[in-house]
Amino acid sequence: MSIAGINGYNYSNYYTGTKRNTAKANGMNSGLLSNVSSTSSNITLHMSGTEDSGNALTAVGFPDGSSASVYKSDAYDSANLEYRVRYWDKEGNYTDTNVQINDVDPRNASYLEMLAYTTYSDVEGFTKNAFGDFMNAAGGVNGNITYDSDSINEKKDYVSMIKEFMQLQYDSNNLSGYLSYKELYDYINDRTER
């Protein structure tokens, strides 16, 4: 886990099991493996499922009132690594995006695709903090990149953003933060080489 406050950056905390920790990170709140809905200011996390979705594996809320939650799709199995990302706009309307994990290219992916990709890597135990590290890196090293309904599906090179954050941790002598981002960076590169 990265430490808070290095060079003025804020890092996200997670919901883990029943333990609740929340913090703003680059204008976002995150959650992992919880069955609750949490509201902080105008940021809402949709963790408890609706009638057709079950409970979310991860969730993120945005300052504009929109949010996204990641679920395993109904078609998920060891051969079909499909996750579903439900995105709520600020009016509360949602759309579902099915994401084939093996088809995600982190060098040219949308924010929603990367939410599914990093959730998968954490849930399957390939990484320990990919979801939070991705969200921090996606905000940019200056924390000036935000996401809303207009930008949530734009394709970006998130590998470069993760590498920048990894280097920032190294330059700040934050070895544990560096190693956490390096774990995600190495996971992406190892998966891409297959």
Side-chain angles (χ1 to χ4, degrees), residues 133-169:
D133 288 347
F134 159 70
M135 287 194 315
N136 287 329
V141 294
N142 295 319
N144 60 347
I145 301 172
T146 59
Y147 297 87
D148 58 23
S149 58
D150 293 331
S151 63
I152 202 82
N153 286 308
E154 287 178 14
K155 302 282 185 168
K156 295 185 184 224
D157 180 359
Y158 288 107
V159 175
S160 293
M161 295 169 87
I162 292 164
K163 186 176 181 181
E164 283 181 67
F165 241 76
M166 183 174 71
Q167 187 63 47
L168 172 68
Q169 302 304 308

PDB file of all heavy atoms in Angstrom, residues 133-169:
ATOM      1  N   ASP A 133      -3.922   0.932  -7.194  1.00  0.00           N
ATOM      2  CA  ASP A 133      -2.772   1.497  -7.901  1.00  0.00           C
ATOM      3  C   ASP A 133      -3.179   2.034  -9.267  1.00  0.00           C
ATOM      4  O   ASP A 133      -2.727   3.097  -9.688  1.00  0.00           O
ATOM      5  CB  ASP A 133      -1.662   0.457  -8.045  1.00  0.00           C
ATOM      6  CG  ASP A 133      -0.960   0.170  -6.732  1.00  0.00           C
ATOM      7  OD1 ASP A 133      -1.143   0.940  -5.758  1.00  0.00           O
ATOM      8  OD2 ASP A 133      -0.220  -0.835  -6.664  1.00  0.00           O
ATOM      9  N   PHE A 134      -4.061   1.301  -9.961  1.00  0.00           N
ATOM     10  CA  PHE A 134      -4.544   1.795 -11.254  1.00  0.00           C
ATOM     11  C   PHE A 134      -5.274   3.124 -11.091  1.00  0.00           C
ATOM     12  O   PHE A 134      -5.033   4.073 -11.829  1.00  0.00           O
ATOM     13  CB  PHE A 134      -5.475   0.777 -11.929  1.00  0.00           C
ATOM     14  CG  PHE A 134      -6.358   1.417 -12.948  1.00  0.00           C
ATOM     15  CD1 PHE A 134      -5.829   1.902 -14.131  1.00  0.00           C
ATOM     16  CD2 PHE A 134      -7.711   1.605 -12.704  1.00  0.00           C
ATOM     17  CE1 PHE A 134      -6.631   2.555 -15.060  1.00  0.00           C
ATOM     18  CE2 PHE A 134      -8.522   2.248 -13.621  1.00  0.00           C
ATOM     19  CZ  PHE A 134      -7.982   2.716 -14.807  1.00  0.00           C
ATOM     20  N   MET A 135      -6.173   3.202 -10.108  1.00  0.00           N
ATOM     21  CA  MET A 135      -6.934   4.440  -9.941  1.00  0.00           C
ATOM     22  C   MET A 135      -6.032   5.619  -9.624  1.00  0.00           C
ATOM     23  O   MET A 135      -6.249   6.722 -10.118  1.00  0.00           O
ATOM     24  CB  MET A 135      -8.012   4.262  -8.874  1.00  0.00           C
ATOM     25  CG  MET A 135      -9.145   3.392  -9.374  1.00  0.00           C
ATOM     26  SD  MET A 135     -10.621   3.456  -8.368  1.00  0.00           S
ATOM     27  CE  MET A 135      -9.972   3.321  -6.740  1.00  0.00           C
ATOM     28  N   ASN A 136      -5.016   5.403  -8.806  1.00  0.00           N
ATOM     29  CA  ASN A 136      -4.075   6.487  -8.521  1.00  0.00           C
ATOM     30  C   ASN A 136      -3.331   6.905  -9.781  1.00  0.00           C
ATOM     31  O   ASN A 136      -3.214   8.088 -10.087  1.00  0.00           O
ATOM     32  CB  ASN A 136      -3.087   6.065  -7.442  1.00  0.00           C
ATOM     33  CG  ASN A 136      -3.724   6.022  -6.070  1.00  0.00           C
ATOM     34  OD1 ASN A 136      -4.631   6.777  -5.772  1.00  0.00           O
ATOM     35  ND2 ASN A 136      -3.250   5.115  -5.247  1.00  0.00           N
ATOM     36  N   ALA A 137      -2.818   5.932 -10.514  1.00  0.00           N
ATOM     37  CA  ALA A 137      -2.059   6.228 -11.731  1.00  0.00           C
ATOM     38  C   ALA A 137      -2.941   6.881 -12.791  1.00  0.00           C
ATOM     39  O   ALA A 137      -2.493   7.765 -13.524  1.00  0.00           O
ATOM     40  CB  ALA A 137      -1.420   4.949 -12.273  1.00  0.00           C
ATOM     41  N   ALA A 138      -4.199   6.462 -12.869  1.00  0.00           N
ATOM     42  CA  ALA A 138      -5.112   7.012 -13.877  1.00  0.00           C
ATOM     43  C   ALA A 138      -5.389   8.491 -13.654  1.00  0.00           C
ATOM     44  O   ALA A 138      -5.769   9.199 -14.583  1.00  0.00           O
ATOM     45  CB  ALA A 138      -6.420   6.225 -13.874  1.00  0.00           C
ATOM     46  N   GLY A 139      -5.161   8.976 -12.438  1.00  0.00           N
ATOM     47  CA  GLY A 139      -5.333  10.393 -12.153  1.00  0.00           C
ATOM     48  C   GLY A 139      -4.145  11.234 -12.587  1.00  0.00           C
ATOM     49  O   GLY A 139      -4.199  12.457 -12.531  1.00  0.00           O
ATOM     50  N   GLY A 140      -3.083  10.579 -13.027  1.00  0.00           N
ATOM     51  CA  GLY A 140      -1.878  11.282 -13.448  1.00  0.00           C
ATOM     52  C   GLY A 140      -0.999  11.656 -12.270  1.00  0.00           C
ATOM     53  O   GLY A 140      -1.478  11.786 -11.149  1.00  0.00           O
ATOM     54  N   VAL A 141       0.290  11.821 -12.506  1.00  0.00           N
ATOM     55  CA  VAL A 141       1.225  12.115 -11.425  1.00  0.00           C
ATOM     56  C   VAL A 141       0.951  13.476 -10.776  1.00  0.00           C
ATOM     57  O   VAL A 141       1.340  13.711  -9.638  1.00  0.00           O
ATOM     58  CB  VAL A 141       2.715  12.014 -11.856  1.00  0.00           C
ATOM     59  CG1 VAL A 141       3.078  10.595 -12.197  1.00  0.00           C
ATOM     60  CG2 VAL A 141       3.021  12.955 -12.994  1.00  0.00           C
ATOM     61  N   ASN A 142       0.274  14.353 -11.474  1.00  0.00           N
ATOM     62  CA  ASN A 142      -0.087  15.644 -10.895  1.00  0.00           C
ATOM     63  C   ASN A 142      -1.504  15.630 -10.326  1.00  0.00           C
ATOM     64  O   ASN A 142      -1.966  16.648  -9.815  1.00  0.00           O
ATOM     65  CB  ASN A 142       0.043  16.760 -11.932  1.00  0.00           C
ATOM     66  CG  ASN A 142       1.478  16.950 -12.355  1.00  0.00           C
ATOM     67  OD1 ASN A 142       2.380  16.904 -11.527  1.00  0.00           O
ATOM     68  ND2 ASN A 142       1.699  17.143 -13.645  1.00  0.00           N
ATOM     69  N   GLY A 143      -2.194  14.494 -10.465  1.00  0.00           N
ATOM     70  CA  GLY A 143      -3.553  14.380  -9.952  1.00  0.00           C
ATOM     71  C   GLY A 143      -4.567  15.228 -10.687  1.00  0.00           C
ATOM     72  O   GLY A 143      -5.624  15.563 -10.166  1.00  0.00           O
ATOM     73  N   ASN A 144      -4.268  15.582 -11.933  1.00  0.00           N
ATOM     74  CA  ASN A 144      -5.122  16.508 -12.667  1.00  0.00           C
ATOM     75  C   ASN A 144      -6.000  15.846 -13.735  1.00  0.00           C
ATOM     76  O   ASN A 144      -6.690  16.540 -14.471  1.00  0.00           O
ATOM     77  CB  ASN A 144      -4.263  17.600 -13.311  1.00  0.00           C
ATOM     78  CG  ASN A 144      -3.246  17.020 -14.284  1.00  0.00           C
ATOM     79  OD1 ASN A 144      -3.016  15.816 -14.316  1.00  0.00           O
ATOM     80  ND2 ASN A 144      -2.630  17.887 -15.070  1.00  0.00           N
ATOM     81  N   ILE A 145      -5.995  14.517 -13.819  1.00  0.00           N
ATOM     82  CA  ILE A 145      -6.832  13.822 -14.792  1.00  0.00           C
ATOM     83  C   ILE A 145      -8.064  13.300 -14.062  1.00  0.00           C
ATOM     84  O   ILE A 145      -7.948  12.595 -13.064  1.00  0.00           O
ATOM     85  CB  ILE A 145      -6.080  12.657 -15.458  1.00  0.00           C
ATOM     86  CG1 ILE A 145      -4.826  13.173 -16.165  1.00  0.00           C
ATOM     87  CG2 ILE A 145      -6.986  11.917 -16.438  1.00  0.00           C
ATOM     88  CD1 ILE A 145      -3.913  12.073 -16.685  1.00  0.00           C
ATOM     89  N   THR A 146      -9.228  13.691 -14.538  1.00  0.00           N
ATOM     90  CA  THR A 146     -10.477  13.242 -13.940  1.00  0.00           C
ATOM     91  C   THR A 146     -11.306  12.504 -14.983  1.00  0.00           C
ATOM     92  O   THR A 146     -11.044  12.611 -16.178  1.00  0.00           O
ATOM     93  CB  THR A 146     -11.288  14.426 -13.369  1.00  0.00           C
ATOM     94  OG1 THR A 146     -11.574  15.341 -14.429  1.00  0.00           O
ATOM     95  CG2 THR A 146     -10.519  15.136 -12.262  1.00  0.00           C
ATOM     96  N   TYR A 147     -12.304  11.794 -14.506  1.00  0.00           N
ATOM     97  CA  TYR A 147     -13.141  10.990 -15.382  1.00  0.00           C
ATOM     98  C   TYR A 147     -14.602  11.302 -15.107  1.00  0.00           C
ATOM     99  O   TYR A 147     -14.995  11.506 -13.966  1.00  0.00           O
ATOM    100  CB  TYR A 147     -12.856   9.501 -15.173  1.00  0.00           C
ATOM    101  CG  TYR A 147     -11.439   9.158 -15.530  1.00  0.00           C
ATOM    102  CD1 TYR A 147     -10.412   9.280 -14.592  1.00  0.00           C
ATOM    103  CD2 TYR A 147     -11.094   8.773 -16.810  1.00  0.00           C
ATOM    104  CE1 TYR A 147      -9.099   9.011 -14.925  1.00  0.00           C
ATOM    105  CE2 TYR A 147      -9.785   8.492 -17.150  1.00  0.00           C
ATOM    106  CZ  TYR A 147      -8.796   8.613 -16.216  1.00  0.00           C
ATOM    107  OH  TYR A 147      -7.480   8.353 -16.558  1.00  0.00           O
ATOM    108  N   ASP A 148     -15.364  11.361 -16.193  1.00  0.00           N
ATOM    109  CA  ASP A 148     -16.798  11.565 -16.099  1.00  0.00           C
ATOM    110  C   ASP A 148     -17.439  10.848 -17.285  1.00  0.00           C
ATOM    111  O   ASP A 148     -16.757  10.136 -18.029  1.00  0.00           O
ATOM    112  CB  ASP A 148     -17.146  13.056 -16.068  1.00  0.00           C
ATOM    113  CG  ASP A 148     -16.642  13.825 -17.287  1.00  0.00           C
ATOM    114  OD1 ASP A 148     -16.409  13.209 -18.366  1.00  0.00           O
ATOM    115  OD2 ASP A 148     -16.474  15.048 -17.182  1.00  0.00           O
ATOM    116  N   SER A 149     -18.729  11.053 -17.470  1.00  0.00           N
ATOM    117  CA  SER A 149     -19.433  10.325 -18.527  1.00  0.00           C
ATOM    118  C   SER A 149     -18.888  10.642 -19.916  1.00  0.00           C
ATOM    119  O   SER A 149     -18.995   9.828 -20.824  1.00  0.00           O
ATOM    120  CB  SER A 149     -20.931  10.614 -18.468  1.00  0.00           C
ATOM    121  OG  SER A 149     -21.170  12.002 -18.584  1.00  0.00           O
ATOM    122  N   ASP A 150     -18.271  11.805 -20.083  1.00  0.00           N
ATOM    123  CA  ASP A 150     -17.703  12.157 -21.388  1.00  0.00           C
ATOM    124  C   ASP A 150     -16.358  11.487 -21.650  1.00  0.00           C
ATOM    125  O   ASP A 150     -15.978  11.275 -22.797  1.00  0.00           O
ATOM    126  CB  ASP A 150     -17.529  13.673 -21.500  1.00  0.00           C
ATOM    127  CG  ASP A 150     -18.857  14.403 -21.516  1.00  0.00           C
ATOM    128  OD1 ASP A 150     -19.854  13.820 -21.980  1.00  0.00           O
ATOM    129  OD2 ASP A 150     -18.891  15.563 -21.049  1.00  0.00           O
ATOM    130  N   SER A 151     -15.601  11.146 -20.604  1.00  0.00           N
ATOM    131  CA  SER A 151     -14.243  10.624 -20.799  1.00  0.00           C
ATOM    132  C   SER A 151     -14.053   9.177 -20.341  1.00  0.00           C
ATOM    133  O   SER A 151     -12.992   8.617 -20.550  1.00  0.00           O
ATOM    134  CB  SER A 151     -13.249  11.516 -20.061  1.00  0.00           C
ATOM    135  OG  SER A 151     -13.493  11.489 -18.671  1.00  0.00           O
ATOM    136  N   ILE A 152     -15.050   8.576 -19.750  1.00  0.00           N
ATOM    137  CA  ILE A 152     -14.908   7.260 -19.129  1.00  0.00           C
ATOM    138  C   ILE A 152     -14.560   6.159 -20.143  1.00  0.00           C
ATOM    139  O   ILE A 152     -13.953   5.159 -19.787  1.00  0.00           O
ATOM    140  CB  ILE A 152     -16.188   6.910 -18.313  1.00  0.00           C
ATOM    141  CG1 ILE A 152     -15.879   5.869 -17.268  1.00  0.00           C
ATOM    142  CG2 ILE A 152     -17.325   6.471 -19.198  1.00  0.00           C
ATOM    143  CD1 ILE A 152     -15.280   6.415 -16.030  1.00  0.00           C
ATOM    144  N   ASN A 153     -14.929   6.369 -21.406  1.00  0.00           N
ATOM    145  CA  ASN A 153     -14.659   5.355 -22.429  1.00  0.00           C
ATOM    146  C   ASN A 153     -13.533   5.736 -23.392  1.00  0.00           C
ATOM    147  O   ASN A 153     -13.271   5.009 -24.348  1.00  0.00           O
ATOM    148  CB  ASN A 153     -15.939   5.030 -23.207  1.00  0.00           C
ATOM    149  CG  ASN A 153     -16.881   4.192 -22.378  1.00  0.00           C
ATOM    150  OD1 ASN A 153     -16.499   3.161 -21.842  1.00  0.00           O
ATOM    151  ND2 ASN A 153     -18.114   4.654 -22.243  1.00  0.00           N
ATOM    152  N   GLU A 154     -12.859   6.862 -23.127  1.00  0.00           N
ATOM    153  CA  GLU A 154     -11.718   7.241 -23.964  1.00  0.00           C
ATOM    154  C   GLU A 154     -10.583   6.247 -23.772  1.00  0.00           C
ATOM    155  O   GLU A 154     -10.296   5.836 -22.649  1.00  0.00           O
ATOM    156  CB  GLU A 154     -11.203   8.630 -23.589  1.00  0.00           C
ATOM    157  CG  GLU A 154     -12.073   9.757 -24.022  1.00  0.00           C
ATOM    158  CD  GLU A 154     -11.527  11.104 -23.571  1.00  0.00           C
ATOM    159  OE1 GLU A 154     -10.341  11.192 -23.155  1.00  0.00           O
ATOM    160  OE2 GLU A 154     -12.301  12.075 -23.600  1.00  0.00           O
ATOM    161  N   LYS A 155      -9.922   5.873 -24.848  1.00  0.00           N
ATOM    162  CA  LYS A 155      -8.784   4.951 -24.775  1.00  0.00           C
ATOM    163  C   LYS A 155      -7.526   5.730 -24.404  1.00  0.00           C
ATOM    164  O   LYS A 155      -7.277   6.816 -24.921  1.00  0.00           O
ATOM    165  CB  LYS A 155      -8.574   4.249 -26.121  1.00  0.00           C
ATOM    166  CG  LYS A 155      -9.776   3.457 -26.610  1.00  0.00           C
ATOM    167  CD  LYS A 155      -9.890   2.150 -25.891  1.00  0.00           C
ATOM    168  CE  LYS A 155     -11.029   1.337 -26.497  1.00  0.00           C
ATOM    169  NZ  LYS A 155     -11.045  -0.034 -26.074  1.00  0.00           N
ATOM    170  N   LYS A 156      -6.753   5.158 -23.459  1.00  0.00           N
ATOM    171  CA  LYS A 156      -5.507   5.777 -23.006  1.00  0.00           C
ATOM    172  C   LYS A 156      -4.439   4.703 -22.834  1.00  0.00           C
ATOM    173  O   LYS A 156      -4.748   3.521 -22.720  1.00  0.00           O
ATOM    174  CB  LYS A 156      -5.713   6.482 -21.665  1.00  0.00           C
ATOM    175  CG  LYS A 156      -6.650   7.643 -21.716  1.00  0.00           C
ATOM    176  CD  LYS A 156      -6.716   8.347 -20.393  1.00  0.00           C
ATOM    177  CE  LYS A 156      -7.749   9.443 -20.492  1.00  0.00           C
ATOM    178  NZ  LYS A 156      -7.373  10.670 -19.940  1.00  0.00           N
ATOM    179  N   ASP A 157      -3.211   5.152 -22.761  1.00  0.00           N
ATOM    180  CA  ASP A 157      -2.087   4.264 -22.471  1.00  0.00           C
ATOM    181  C   ASP A 157      -1.866   4.255 -20.965  1.00  0.00           C
ATOM    182  O   ASP A 157      -1.106   5.056 -20.424  1.00  0.00           O
ATOM    183  CB  ASP A 157      -0.835   4.738 -23.198  1.00  0.00           C
ATOM    184  CG  ASP A 157       0.380   3.855 -22.926  1.00  0.00           C
ATOM    185  OD1 ASP A 157       0.272   2.877 -22.160  1.00  0.00           O
ATOM    186  OD2 ASP A 157       1.447   4.159 -23.485  1.00  0.00           O
ATOM    187  N   TYR A 158      -2.543   3.333 -20.275  1.00  0.00           N
ATOM    188  CA  TYR A 158      -2.438   3.273 -18.817  1.00  0.00           C
ATOM    189  C   TYR A 158      -1.129   2.645 -18.361  1.00  0.00           C
ATOM    190  O   TYR A 158      -0.698   2.891 -17.238  1.00  0.00           O
ATOM    191  CB  TYR A 158      -3.637   2.533 -18.233  1.00  0.00           C
ATOM    192  CG  TYR A 158      -4.900   3.365 -18.315  1.00  0.00           C
ATOM    193  CD1 TYR A 158      -5.902   3.058 -19.219  1.00  0.00           C
ATOM    194  CD2 TYR A 158      -5.065   4.474 -17.504  1.00  0.00           C
ATOM    195  CE1 TYR A 158      -7.049   3.830 -19.302  1.00  0.00           C
ATOM    196  CE2 TYR A 158      -6.212   5.261 -17.583  1.00  0.00           C
ATOM    197  CZ  TYR A 158      -7.196   4.926 -18.481  1.00  0.00           C
ATOM    198  OH  TYR A 158      -8.323   5.703 -18.566  1.00  0.00           O
ATOM    199  N   VAL A 159      -0.460   1.901 -19.210  1.00  0.00           N
ATOM    200  CA  VAL A 159       0.836   1.324 -18.827  1.00  0.00           C
ATOM    201  C   VAL A 159       1.837   2.453 -18.592  1.00  0.00           C
ATOM    202  O   VAL A 159       2.580   2.436 -17.604  1.00  0.00           O
ATOM    203  CB  VAL A 159       1.350   0.325 -19.885  1.00  0.00           C
ATOM    204  CG1 VAL A 159       2.741  -0.164 -19.533  1.00  0.00           C
ATOM    205  CG2 VAL A 159       0.388  -0.854 -20.013  1.00  0.00           C
ATOM    206  N   SER A 160       1.848   3.443 -19.468  1.00  0.00           N
ATOM    207  CA  SER A 160       2.747   4.588 -19.288  1.00  0.00           C
ATOM    208  C   SER A 160       2.417   5.350 -18.017  1.00  0.00           C
ATOM    209  O   SER A 160       3.313   5.800 -17.299  1.00  0.00           O
ATOM    210  CB  SER A 160       2.664   5.534 -20.488  1.00  0.00           C
ATOM    211  OG  SER A 160       3.180   4.909 -21.633  1.00  0.00           O
ATOM    212  N   MET A 161       1.136   5.492 -17.713  1.00  0.00           N
ATOM    213  CA  MET A 161       0.719   6.209 -16.512  1.00  0.00           C
ATOM    214  C   MET A 161       1.146   5.441 -15.253  1.00  0.00           C
ATOM    215  O   MET A 161       1.593   6.041 -14.271  1.00  0.00           O
ATOM    216  CB  MET A 161      -0.785   6.438 -16.541  1.00  0.00           C
ATOM    217  CG  MET A 161      -1.206   7.357 -17.684  1.00  0.00           C
ATOM    218  SD  MET A 161      -2.989   7.388 -17.941  1.00  0.00           S
ATOM    219  CE  MET A 161      -3.434   8.676 -16.797  1.00  0.00           C
ATOM    220  N   ILE A 162       1.018   4.123 -15.286  1.00  0.00           N
ATOM    221  CA  ILE A 162       1.440   3.293 -14.158  1.00  0.00           C
ATOM    222  C   ILE A 162       2.952   3.388 -13.987  1.00  0.00           C
ATOM    223  O   ILE A 162       3.459   3.507 -12.873  1.00  0.00           O
ATOM    224  CB  ILE A 162       0.968   1.833 -14.360  1.00  0.00           C
ATOM    225  CG1 ILE A 162      -0.559   1.770 -14.260  1.00  0.00           C
ATOM    226  CG2 ILE A 162       1.632   0.899 -13.347  1.00  0.00           C
ATOM    227  CD1 ILE A 162      -1.162   0.489 -14.807  1.00  0.00           C
ATOM    228  N   LYS A 163       3.667   3.362 -15.109  1.00  0.00           N
ATOM    229  CA  LYS A 163       5.126   3.462 -15.051  1.00  0.00           C
ATOM    230  C   LYS A 163       5.560   4.805 -14.458  1.00  0.00           C
ATOM    231  O   LYS A 163       6.500   4.861 -13.656  1.00  0.00           O
ATOM    232  CB  LYS A 163       5.719   3.282 -16.450  1.00  0.00           C
ATOM    233  CG  LYS A 163       7.222   3.229 -16.466  1.00  0.00           C
ATOM    234  CD  LYS A 163       7.754   2.945 -17.861  1.00  0.00           C
ATOM    235  CE  LYS A 163       9.260   2.868 -17.842  1.00  0.00           C
ATOM    236  NZ  LYS A 163       9.792   2.614 -19.195  1.00  0.00           N
ATOM    237  N   GLU A 164       4.871   5.886 -14.820  1.00  0.00           N
ATOM    238  CA  GLU A 164       5.181   7.199 -14.252  1.00  0.00           C
ATOM    239  C   GLU A 164       4.970   7.213 -12.743  1.00  0.00           C
ATOM    240  O   GLU A 164       5.786   7.761 -12.000  1.00  0.00           O
ATOM    241  CB  GLU A 164       4.297   8.278 -14.887  1.00  0.00           C
ATOM    242  CG  GLU A 164       4.708   8.690 -16.271  1.00  0.00           C
ATOM    243  CD  GLU A 164       3.790   9.779 -16.795  1.00  0.00           C
ATOM    244  OE1 GLU A 164       3.823  10.899 -16.230  1.00  0.00           O
ATOM    245  OE2 GLU A 164       3.042   9.510 -17.746  1.00  0.00           O
ATOM    246  N   PHE A 165       3.867   6.620 -12.288  1.00  0.00           N
ATOM    247  CA  PHE A 165       3.592   6.576 -10.854  1.00  0.00           C
ATOM    248  C   PHE A 165       4.613   5.703 -10.137  1.00  0.00           C
ATOM    249  O   PHE A 165       5.028   6.007  -9.027  1.00  0.00           O
ATOM    250  CB  PHE A 165       2.168   6.071 -10.593  1.00  0.00           C
ATOM    251  CG  PHE A 165       1.326   7.078  -9.876  1.00  0.00           C
ATOM    252  CD1 PHE A 165       0.804   8.165 -10.548  1.00  0.00           C
ATOM    253  CD2 PHE A 165       1.075   6.949  -8.525  1.00  0.00           C
ATOM    254  CE1 PHE A 165       0.030   9.097  -9.895  1.00  0.00           C
ATOM    255  CE2 PHE A 165       0.309   7.880  -7.852  1.00  0.00           C
ATOM    256  CZ  PHE A 165      -0.218   8.960  -8.541  1.00  0.00           C
ATOM    257  N   MET A 166       4.999   4.609 -10.770  1.00  0.00           N
ATOM    258  CA  MET A 166       6.020   3.725 -10.197  1.00  0.00           C
ATOM    259  C   MET A 166       7.328   4.501 -10.024  1.00  0.00           C
ATOM    260  O   MET A 166       7.969   4.437  -8.969  1.00  0.00           O
ATOM    261  CB  MET A 166       6.217   2.515 -11.131  1.00  0.00           C
ATOM    262  CG  MET A 166       7.198   1.483 -10.635  1.00  0.00           C
ATOM    263  SD  MET A 166       7.240   0.019 -11.728  1.00  0.00           S
ATOM    264  CE  MET A 166       8.057   0.685 -13.168  1.00  0.00           C
ATOM    265  N   GLN A 167       7.705   5.269 -11.033  1.00  0.00           N
ATOM    266  CA  GLN A 167       8.937   6.065 -10.963  1.00  0.00           C
ATOM    267  C   GLN A 167       8.833   7.150  -9.891  1.00  0.00           C
ATOM    268  O   GLN A 167       9.795   7.411  -9.172  1.00  0.00           O
ATOM    269  CB  GLN A 167       9.248   6.692 -12.323  1.00  0.00           C
ATOM    270  CG  GLN A 167      10.593   7.398 -12.375  1.00  0.00           C
ATOM    271  CD  GLN A 167      11.748   6.444 -12.147  1.00  0.00           C
ATOM    272  OE1 GLN A 167      11.818   5.373 -12.737  1.00  0.00           O
ATOM    273  NE2 GLN A 167      12.676   6.818 -11.273  1.00  0.00           N
ATOM    274  N   LEU A 168       7.650   7.761  -9.762  1.00  0.00           N
ATOM    275  CA  LEU A 168       7.436   8.762  -8.726  1.00  0.00           C
ATOM    276  C   LEU A 168       7.671   8.165  -7.341  1.00  0.00           C
ATOM    277  O   LEU A 168       8.319   8.783  -6.491  1.00  0.00           O
ATOM    278  CB  LEU A 168       6.018   9.323  -8.807  1.00  0.00           C
ATOM    279  CG  LEU A 168       5.594  10.243  -7.663  1.00  0.00           C
ATOM    280  CD1 LEU A 168       6.376  11.554  -7.697  1.00  0.00           C
ATOM    281  CD2 LEU A 168       4.099  10.499  -7.723  1.00  0.00           C
ATOM    282  N   GLN A 169       7.178   6.954  -7.114  1.00  0.00           N
ATOM    283  CA  GLN A 169       7.374   6.292  -5.821  1.00  0.00           C
ATOM    284  C   GLN A 169       8.866   6.044  -5.579  1.00  0.00           C
ATOM    285  O   GLN A 169       9.375   6.256  -4.480  1.00  0.00           O
ATOM    286  CB  GLN A 169       6.612   4.970  -5.761  1.00  0.00           C
ATOM    287  CG  GLN A 169       5.118   5.090  -5.979  1.00  0.00           C
ATOM    288  CD  GLN A 169       4.452   6.036  -5.016  1.00  0.00           C
ATOM    289  OE1 GLN A 169       4.616   5.927  -3.805  1.00  0.00           O
ATOM    290  NE2 GLN A 169       3.708   6.997  -5.544  1.00  0.00           N
TER     291      GLN A 169
END
